[in-house]
Amino acid sequence: IAPRDFGGRAADASRSRLAAAYRRGAETRGCRTMYLCLVGRCAFASPRRRRNWAPRRLGTAAASDGALWASVLRSRGAGRLRRALSGAAPRVCYVGGSISEQKNGWRPRFHGWLDARLRASKRPGAAAVDACCGNAGATLLAFTAADWVVKAAPDVVVIEVAVNDGDAVLEAGGDTDVRRALEGILRGLRDALPDAAVVFVDMFLRADLPPGKRSGTRAWVDATGRDFDAAREIYHGGVGDLHARLAARYDAAHVDLVPFFKRLPGAALDRLFRDDCHHADTGADLAAAAVAWCVESLFGDGAPSVRGPLPRPLDASFWKARAAERFDADPNFLTAAGAPPDGAPRTATDRCPVTGGPGRWHWLFAGDGATCRFDGTALGVLTNVGPDSGALSITIDGGAPMRVDLSDRWCYYWRSTIVVLASGLERGVHKAEIRVLDEAPDRSVLKRPITDANYLDHPHLSITPKLWLMWFVAIGA
């Protein structure tokens, strides 16, 4: 990456100091020097100071370490970002999970810089569209992008899902679903918003903390030994490489902050992070400044790219997803085998993975069934799986029943996930019939014994098998 001017000689001095501090990388003092140099006078953290900073004075040593920053800015997006930001009052949609959802995190700080950067160039500022939701990753966003993103008609879409995608890859034992979902998202955005620029921002997950200080999926929190080594590689390499391949394929910019933060010692990271992935104020400053430097460098790209046709997909089975639909939109969707066992209720209130707020789940017990009609080549359900999960029988258009096991090695805790029930279907409208089999799950495959007090002490949660139903999703044309 060619060096760029962020304030003349003062910036050159900052680059020199930061380069030395960054290469030392063994003491917290070095991190403090890096923080002060990179953030410079942008004053991301303090609203009372923010009005005093000049956006072009991003004193940074970034350009002095070309190898590092070449690994951070992995794809430049073929001039799409420059074109998208050249219009009047561009709209920037931020799509991500809890890291981007932080009210005083990297996202509002970066957007404040971007808005002022555009105004300093005698252009209208940028409008922010917040489409962040808890632990949302690519597999969920594939079914919400139309509502959360496309309807807002943004000029730029910033996607921050690396940590949550890592959770999904770890739990699934492979990246197939995440890869297909993300490719479907990118193709859908290019089709609906052909002039919009997409920017991946991959955040860092600390791998130097003991299990008690980790957050997110229990598959990560409880990982030890070889399982931990494999999980760390997913978060620090596998997901970033996946995003890089897709970004290059679809002319998206890709900012990967994993190598940026990975160089810092643990004592420095303690000051930058609240836990293993959520930033403290100084960490949010640093993440925002690093992303800002990358975006600033993209302003200097050559002539903006012109529209081109969609490239051939990397995976022909990418998820061409439609909006999620509720089972209970049809009042006759449920076929009960009898009264619920032990006087259990038919519904329960728990977090809705689509809205992020409380939602009404339907509980189906052994022998109970549900039906839905969908237009697509595959069907999935957005459900909760955990200690009460069993097996299902699926019938499509009255054909032979297919068995789907919901219980896996991670079912000693509950998690929201998308389970593909049927795929490879003919194009068109299909009718699916789902039935909960009266079989006990195989607990021998669990990575850990079931010890969750909420499960053991709550009589209704302990009823097994059980299916949590709220949403189904049609995949394909």
Side-chain angles (χ1 to χ4, degrees):
I1 302 173
R4 303 197 179 272
D5 184 7
F6 288 89
R9 294 180 181 179
D12 291 336
S14 294
R15 282 195 284 269
S16 177
R17 289 195 301 272
L18 177 53
Y22 209 67
R23 291 191 183 103
R24 285 198 302 271
E27 54 181 340
T28 305
R29 184 168 174 269
C31 173
R32 181 174 182 274
T33 304
M34 182 189 70
Y35 166 75
L36 293 174
C37 291
L38 181 59
V39 175
R41 299 191 178 186
C42 291
F44 289 107
S46 174
R48 66 178 178 275
R49 291 162 47 206
R50 188 172 296 149
R51 59 179 174 269
N52 297 323
W53 63 271
R56 291 194 61 82
R57 296 201 64 182
L58 186 59
T60 175
S64 67
D65 193 339
L68 167 69
W69 288 88
S71 67
V72 172
L73 185 55
R74 300 180 66 168
S75 175
R76 303 183 70 86
R80 280 182 168 269
L81 183 64
R82 181 187 175 196
R83 181 180 65 190
L85 293 175
S86 64
R91 294 168 61 82
V92 182
C93 181
Y94 296 89
V95 183
S98 57
I99 298 175
S100 293
E101 201 174 28
Q102 287 182 257
K103 292 183 179 180
N104 197 28
W106 79 274
R107 174 182 52 82
R109 299 170 198 235
F110 166 76
H111 188 82
W113 169 84
L114 179 62
D115 181 71
R117 169 68 175 81
L118 294 174
R119 294 181 188 277
S121 301
K122 309 300 183 184
R123 285 183 281 177
V129 178
D130 182 2
C132 301
C133 178
N135 60 350
T139 52
L140 172 60
L141 294 173
F143 305 99
T144 58
D147 288 330
W148 293 3
V149 181
V150 173
K151 286 185 179 179
D155 301 286
V156 179
V157 182
V158 179
I159 301 177
E160 179 276 306
V161 293
V163 173
N164 291 333
D165 280 355
D167 291 347
V169 171
L170 179 59
E171 291 173 338
D175 67 4
T176 301
D177 286 350
V178 169
R179 183 181 70 251
R180 291 175 175 176
L182 200 51
E183 185 160 20
I185 293 172
L186 292 172
R187 294 183 73 86
L189 291 176
R190 282 284 300 273
D191 184 54
L193 306 168
D195 292 325
V198 175
V199 181
F200 282 101
V201 175
D202 289 358
M203 290 296 173
F204 176 68
L205 178 74
R206 295 185 64 178
D208 61 330
L209 297 178
K213 293 186 177 181
R214 300 177 201 160
S215 64
T217 173
R218 290 282 293 276
W220 164 246
V221 171
D222 297 338
T224 58
R226 292 182 178 179
D227 288 340
F228 172 79
D229 293 339
R232 177 178 55 196
E233 177 55 31
I234 289 172
Y235 293 108
H236 287 184
V239 170
D241 292 343
L242 170 61
H243 288 182
R245 292 197 303 272
L246 290 168
R249 186 71 166 181
Y250 291 96
D251 290 340
H254 180 203
V255 178
D256 187 354
L257 296 188
V258 171
F260 178 80
F261 283 104
K262 194 175 179 179
R263 287 192 175 190
L264 300 178
L269 295 175
D270 288 342
R271 301 190 177 204
L272 300 176
F273 288 85
R274 290 174 9 199
D275 49 33
D276 58 350
C277 65
H278 298 96
H279 301 120
D281 280 346
T282 51
D285 276 355
L286 199 55
V291 176
W293 187 88
C294 292
V295 170
E296 174 72 29
S297 75
L298 296 176
F299 275 102
D301 279 349
S305 64
V306 296
R307 286 191 190 182
L310 269 174
R312 292 176 62 87
L314 294 175
D315 188 333
S317 298
F318 68 89
W319 287 9
K320 186 175 181 180
R322 304 187 177 190
E325 300 180 59
R326 292 189 63 103
F327 274 95
D328 55 13
D330 176 3
N332 300 314
F333 83 97
L334 175 65
T335 303
D342 300 331
R346 280 286 179 192
T347 61
T349 300
D350 201 271
R351 181 182 180 277
C352 173
V354 171
T355 66
R360 186 178 70 162
W361 290 88
H362 296 272
W363 278 355
L364 276 65
F365 304 96
D368 291 345
T371 59
C372 67
R373 293 184 179 274
F374 66 98
D375 184 2
T377 58
L379 172 69
V381 290
L382 184 53
T383 183
N384 287 338
V385 297
D388 54 357
S389 297
L392 307 177
S393 173
I394 313 298
T395 301
I396 303 295
D397 299 329
M402 300 173 288
R403 178 188 175 92
V404 176
D405 286 306
L406 298 183
S407 184
D408 60 20
R409 60 180 179 166
W410 307 114
C411 278
Y412 62 90
Y413 64 93
W414 276 278
R415 68 185 193 273
S416 295
T417 187
I418 290 177
V419 178
V420 177
L421 301 181
S423 60
L425 307 175
E426 296 291 331
R427 296 172 182 265
V429 178
H430 303 277
K431 178 182 179 181
E433 299 175 77
I434 306 168
R435 185 168 60 87
V436 181
L437 298 178
D438 189 6
E439 300 177 7
D442 181 6
R443 298 279 169 75
S444 66
V445 303
L446 297 182
K447 295 287 289 184
R448 291 187 174 223
I450 298 172
T451 58
D452 192 309
N454 187 41
Y455 166 69
L456 296 176
D457 297 341
H458 195 298
H460 297 149
L461 284 177
S462 65
I463 298 173
T464 304
K466 187 189 305 101
L467 173 62
W468 297 64
L469 277 189
M470 185 185 299
W471 302 93
F472 68 90
V473 289
I475 303 171

